[in-house]
Amino acid sequence: MGDGVAMIDSADFASRKRRMAARRRRILACDECSANDPGITAAVAGYGSVVSPVALVGQAPAPKCVGARPFTEGSGKLIDAALEAVDLSPDRVFITNAVHCHLPDHRPPTAREIATHLPHLRDELDIVSPSLVIGLGKHAEKALRSIYPGAVELRWPFTTPSARQAQRLEAAGAPLLLFAPHPNRIRQWEPANKPMYVRRLASALAWAWRCCAP
């Protein structure tokens, strides 16, 4: 699959890179939600291509993601397997979280923390401008519905969108949304569903690249 860069205006690409770098600096300097423990944990900004047709949004970074990228090891292995199945590397899609700060004891984010980080997530997605956003888990779902009220939502398990849904995507000016279970839930509580989960996620990634890559 092509990387999409050659098909986009070079000035637009450079602008996106600059904007993402500025947003990354703001995320890494976050002191708004008091979730980080200085010297022990840190914020994790979104990672990947600023021209990707698809974005994956998780809940919050796990300890192993700090200093790396969202979905490093652990439940990220299912994401990596789906990417590998369609010959994509993590740096060719965009991967981020609803809350960018590592949370104590890897607990779920609060409503206040999601609201605090919403401007970061909104700006990251505005820069990338994906055609498909995959929310992983209920907290990502909540954040994305706040950013894209009224957007067309695809059903999980993923099936190829109809021509009518694709037309609505072009008309809406907003991405299609797909809400999937968080991979950690599959890994820990539904291990028998791992192959199906990876297969369906890979299908969604492949469709976005086939349909919507620049």
Side-chain angles (χ1 to χ4, degrees):
M1 295 183 183
D3 59 15
V5 174
M7 299 294 291
I8 199 166
D9 179 81
S10 59
D12 180 28
F13 180 69
S15 174
R16 294 191 197 198
K17 294 282 284 186
R18 284 193 300 271
R19 290 174 60 199
M20 190 64 79
R23 177 53 59 177
R24 176 181 174 82
R25 288 192 293 270
R26 293 188 64 182
I27 290 171
L28 297 183
C30 176
D31 60 2
E32 298 169 340
C33 64
S34 302
N36 288 327
D37 189 350
I40 299 176
T41 65
V44 179
Y47 174 90
S49 172
V50 295
V51 295
S52 172
V54 59
L56 296 99
V57 180
Q59 173 175 284
K64 290 182 179 180
C65 300
V66 174
R69 62 170 175 86
F71 289 105
T72 298
E73 299 187 23
S75 59
K77 291 180 180 179
L78 295 182
I79 306 297
D80 291 343
L83 290 167
E84 185 178 351
V86 291
D87 196 28
L88 289 171
S89 57
D91 61 346
R92 292 172 64 196
V93 297
F94 189 76
I95 308 172
T96 190
N97 281 299
V99 172
H100 299 77
C101 289
H102 171 245
L103 302 172
D105 300 320
H106 198 39
R107 62 165 172 77
T110 65
R112 178 182 177 278
E113 287 163 343
I114 292 173
T116 297
H117 283 257
L118 204 62
H120 293 316
L121 178 61
R122 181 183 287 112
D123 197 40
E124 286 181 321
L125 294 175
D126 183 60
I127 293 166
V128 178
S129 192
S131 296
L132 175 66
V133 181
I134 303 174
L136 303 170
K138 64 181 181 180
H139 301 291
E141 180 176 336
K142 179 178 180 180
L144 291 170
R145 282 187 169 146
S146 178
I147 293 173
Y148 302 114
V152 177
E153 298 181 10
L154 304 177
R155 289 175 178 259
W156 179 266
F158 174 82
T159 56
T160 302
S162 66
R164 182 178 180 183
Q165 287 173 317
Q167 290 171 353
R168 287 177 68 186
L169 168 63
E170 294 180 3
L176 293 173
L177 301 180
L178 174 66
F179 299 124
H182 194 280
N184 194 54
R185 170 182 153 187
I186 303 299
R187 187 173 68 95
Q188 290 196 341
W189 305 108
E190 303 176 28
N193 290 333
K194 284 182 183 179
M196 184 278 288
Y197 184 86
V198 169
R199 188 166 58 250
R200 294 291 189 171
L201 194 56
S203 295
L205 294 166
W207 174 83
W209 275 84
R210 189 169 61 246
C211 170
C212 310

